[in-house]
Amino acid sequence: MKIAIVYVSVHHKNTEKVVKAMAEMSGADLYDLTKNKDIDLSSYDVVGLASGIYASSMHKTLIKFIDSHNLPKKVFIVCTSGVTFINYANKMKKQMEDKGYEVIGSFQIKGFNTFGPFALIGGTGKGRPNDTDLNDAREFIKRIIM
């Protein structure tokens, strides 16, 4: 099975740390949308869509990419957030299912966040993602792909 993970990871590289752990486990090809927006996914069986959460949504660059590219029918969702009492991965899962994609899994973990007012208190999720989080990411990808 050929796997790609398309991601956006800006401020603290939380999402990048997570998708790199997943790629180590699965052999997935990684595509950073901050460096390359012209990606051909036609040869992949499954695509992961990964981003930090910004104003309750995945990064606008990833949303635009999803809206303007043909993806394989099977996708999985990965997100990192300083606030985890809301399941943002499930929000994106519903949006993708509404577009006709089969979402084979979703994964969300806490990440270090100093956006907006959180900077005033030194941020939330300090030290995250940690080794336990990255191991959870590896187990997630193993469970849904392997």
Side-chain angles (χ1 to χ4, degrees):
M1 180 178 310
K2 194 165 178 191
I3 307 158
I5 302 174
V6 178
Y7 72 98
V8 178
S9 187
V10 287
H11 300 288
H12 300 289
K13 302 297 183 188
N14 299 319
T15 304
E16 185 173 74
K17 293 171 189 171
V18 171
V19 299
K20 282 184 174 182
M22 289 180 173
E24 287 170 11
M25 177 60 68
S26 66
D29 294 327
L30 298 178
Y31 294 99
D32 181 348
L33 282 178
T34 64
K35 297 177 182 169
N36 183 3
K37 292 179 181 66
D38 187 29
I39 302 166
D40 178 9
L41 299 172
S42 62
S43 66
Y44 291 94
D45 302 303
V46 177
V47 171
L49 305 168
S51 167
I53 299 299
Y54 305 89
S56 300
S57 185
M58 293 183 95
H59 197 278
K60 64 183 177 184
T61 303
L62 183 64
I63 301 297
K64 286 180 185 176
F65 179 84
I66 292 166
D67 290 341
S68 64
H69 286 75
N70 290 324
L71 305 175
K73 282 296 178 191
K74 290 185 179 184
V75 299
F76 61 93
I77 311 297
V78 178
C79 60
T80 59
S81 175
V83 177
T84 55
F85 60 85
I86 298 171
N87 192 325
Y88 298 105
N90 277 345
K91 180 180 175 184
M92 177 56 90
K93 177 182 176 187
K94 176 152 179 26
Q95 291 172 349
M96 295 305 292
E97 288 173 341
D98 289 348
K99 292 180 180 192
Y101 293 99
E102 177 187 352
V103 179
I104 62 172
S106 62
F107 182 78
Q108 176 177 310
I109 61 152
K110 193 171 196 87
F112 182 49
N113 179 19
T114 57
F115 185 75
F118 297 117
L120 299 173
I121 60 169
T124 62
K126 293 177 186 172
R128 305 288 294 275
N130 57 31
D131 289 341
T132 300
D133 297 324
L134 299 179
N135 284 333
D136 289 347
R138 290 181 191 100
E139 287 302 313
F140 165 78
I141 196 76
K142 188 165 93 174
R143 186 173 59 253
I144 67 164
I145 299 297
M146 303 174 121

